[in-house]
Amino acid sequence: MDLRDIQNLIKFVAKSGASEVKLEMEDIKITIKTNPDESAREQVFVQQMPISAVPQIPLQQAVVTPTTSADPAESKPAANTDNDKYIVVKSPMIGTFYRRPGPDKPLFVEVGSTIAKGDVLCIIEAMKLFNEIESEVSGKVVKILVDDSSPVEFDQPLFLVDPS
């Protein structure tokens, strides 16, 4: 599904009067929510599954590996040992990371928050589309690794979650 198809779908949903439409395919999940009070404004959430972006992983690993192969190699295993008990929630796309749904809204999660599978952790804006990132695990948020309104890369660690 390309951008033109998504735009046509948005127009169709806006004209139909539906308040929410969800579409899931193999590699993409789209949610379109319209606000009945503001008929001209729609919210669109597109979440692309990491499968389609797999070719980027070897390139990023190739870049990371030479820079960490110097002196920090001794400190790296110690850091991994501490983080082995935590699950790392990574960014499924490139975009801008937001910790809240709007400037005057409360944060989705904070350090110490207990989360369940399917809870929204953050939003990543990509190409003016706001994508809700849902948790795939239950547990407690131990650390938030990205600042609010910061750019993120594909597969970049966003949160550390303690599953116990």
Side-chain angles (χ1 to χ4, degrees):
M1 178 171 260
D2 64 2
L3 186 57
R4 183 174 297 141
D5 293 334
I6 295 171
Q7 289 171 336
N8 289 335
L9 182 61
I10 293 168
K11 290 176 186 175
F12 177 76
V13 170
K15 289 179 183 176
S16 72
S19 61
E20 181 175 346
V21 173
K22 291 185 179 183
L23 174 67
E24 292 188 33
M25 298 184 334
E26 289 180 13
D27 61 342
I28 194 166
K29 180 166 61 171
I30 299 174
T31 302
I32 302 172
K33 295 180 182 179
T34 59
N35 189 347
D37 298 331
E38 303 172 23
S39 59
R41 181 177 172 171
E42 294 96 21
Q43 289 183 329
V44 179
F45 302 100
V46 177
Q47 182 175 359
Q48 194 163 10
M49 303 301 164
I51 296 169
S52 64
V54 170
Q56 292 180 357
I57 293 172
L59 295 175
Q60 288 180 352
Q61 287 176 347
V63 173
V64 171
T65 304
T67 56
T68 58
S69 64
D71 292 335
E74 294 175 4
S75 64
K76 200 69 168 165
N80 284 342
T81 311
D82 293 339
N83 293 337
D84 282 345
K85 62 183 176 182
Y86 301 131
I87 296 173
V88 179
V89 177
K90 296 181 179 182
S91 174
M93 65 188 66
I94 297 171
T96 304
F97 173 87
Y98 294 105
R99 293 186 56 200
R100 59 183 80 221
D104 56 344
K105 306 282 184 187
L107 299 171
F108 286 114
V109 294
E110 298 182 52
V111 173
S113 296
T114 302
I115 58 171
K117 188 174 182 176
D119 287 353
V120 177
L121 300 174
C122 63
I123 289 178
I124 296 181
E125 178 187 8
M127 295 177 28
K128 300 196 183 207
L129 297 176
F130 294 88
N131 307 287
E132 290 183 341
I133 306 305
E134 297 177 352
S135 175
E136 295 182 6
V137 296
S138 297
K140 185 176 182 180
V141 177
V142 176
K143 190 170 186 180
I144 300 171
L145 305 170
V146 181
D147 293 328
D148 194 30
S149 303
S150 299
V152 293
E153 296 291 326
F154 170 75
D155 215 27
Q156 178 178 342
L158 302 175
F159 300 93
L160 288 181
V161 178
D162 185 358
S164 55

